[in-house]
Amino acid sequence: MDGLNAYHYFEKGRGPFCNLSSLSLEESETILQQIRENGRTFASQRSADYLAVRRELEQMAFAKFLTKGGQPVQPYPHYLTLGRCTWLESWYMEPNHVIIPWHKLPAEVVSFTYGDLFPTMRYADDKPYRRQVYTKHEIIEQIQTYGFPQDWNQTGEQGPERYIEVQVWDNRVIDAFR
């Protein structure tokens, strides 16, 4: 599928691929607390248990990806969206993004969820893509079936899925785009 790109959104002054999961729990909590105190971005609204839940969901996604033949190199992913999602730009004071072309996403270290990892793994309804992690091949089938959430749910009024999330489980993939 030529033309499918992965987008990583970030605060321009901070730079791309700053990942709380790459830090110790204490270090990541300190940074998250600073973000909360600043109170100017979407991340400042995250709950007190955000980091614990995030790590639990990352472990779940890691295990699911392994069962599908994935070969994650690290225990946490870097997060991107499949396709552009202008809503994510509103999360930042000075948004910027990096684009990684589809062909630069190695299937063995890249997984996908139809929607953000948090609601995908936690939202209780009967949608078949809940609690699922997809391979590169499988996400194409989901797109053919459901389309891109950022197209049909731009305002979030039709559920929690606002984009397809890309999880990159290898720093070497993203290092060229830092």
Side-chain angles (χ1 to χ4, degrees):
M1 285 202 68
D2 291 334
L4 280 181
N5 295 317
Y7 286 71
H8 173 71
Y9 295 91
F10 60 93
E11 188 67 47
K12 186 176 184 176
R14 183 167 288 233
F17 302 108
C18 296
N19 192 326
L20 289 173
S21 296
S22 70
L23 305 172
S24 71
L25 191 55
E26 182 178 285
E27 290 172 308
S28 56
E29 187 55 57
T30 298
I31 290 172
L32 186 54
Q33 188 56 37
Q34 291 169 352
I35 292 169
R36 286 184 186 117
E37 288 170 6
N38 189 351
R40 298 187 312 173
T41 61
F42 183 85
S44 67
Q45 303 167 33
R46 292 185 169 145
S47 66
D49 67 344
Y50 170 78
L51 290 171
V53 173
R54 175 176 168 153
R55 289 175 188 232
E56 177 185 326
L57 296 178
E58 288 174 344
Q59 289 172 359
M60 184 185 303
F62 181 93
K64 288 179 178 284
F65 188 42
L66 279 176
T67 65
K68 293 192 171 200
Q71 300 169 15
V73 173
Q74 59 204 38
Y76 61 88
H78 288 281
Y79 297 99
L80 301 91
T81 64
L82 190 58
R84 186 168 186 176
C85 181
T86 56
W87 173 64
L88 287 180
E89 292 173 350
S90 72
W91 288 21
Y92 304 98
M93 298 297 295
E94 291 185 68
N96 203 350
H97 64 272
V98 169
I99 302 172
I100 301 179
W102 177 257
H103 71 277
K104 298 270 187 181
L105 297 170
E108 65 276 4
V109 295
V110 178
S111 63
F112 302 84
T113 50
Y114 195 83
D116 184 273
L117 186 64
F118 270 68
T120 296
M121 294 301 179
R122 299 174 78 204
Y123 202 80
D125 64 15
D126 60 351
K127 293 183 178 170
Y129 45 79
R130 296 284 184 243
R131 302 184 66 80
Q132 300 295 320
V133 170
Y134 297 103
T135 64
K136 199 170 176 182
H137 173 74
E138 292 170 330
I139 199 61
I140 299 302
E141 296 169 2
Q142 298 305 306
I143 294 167
Q144 291 169 343
T145 302
Y146 301 106
F148 284 90
Q150 56 265 51
D151 291 340
W152 59 262
N153 194 24
Q154 292 179 14
T155 63
E157 293 176 3
Q158 298 183 55
E161 49 281 296
R162 300 284 296 267
Y163 50 84
I164 294 170
E165 187 173 85
V166 182
Q167 298 97 25
V168 177
W169 299 91
D170 186 346
N171 281 331
R172 293 174 296 186
V173 174
I174 57 99
D175 281 346
F177 299 92
R178 285 189 192 264

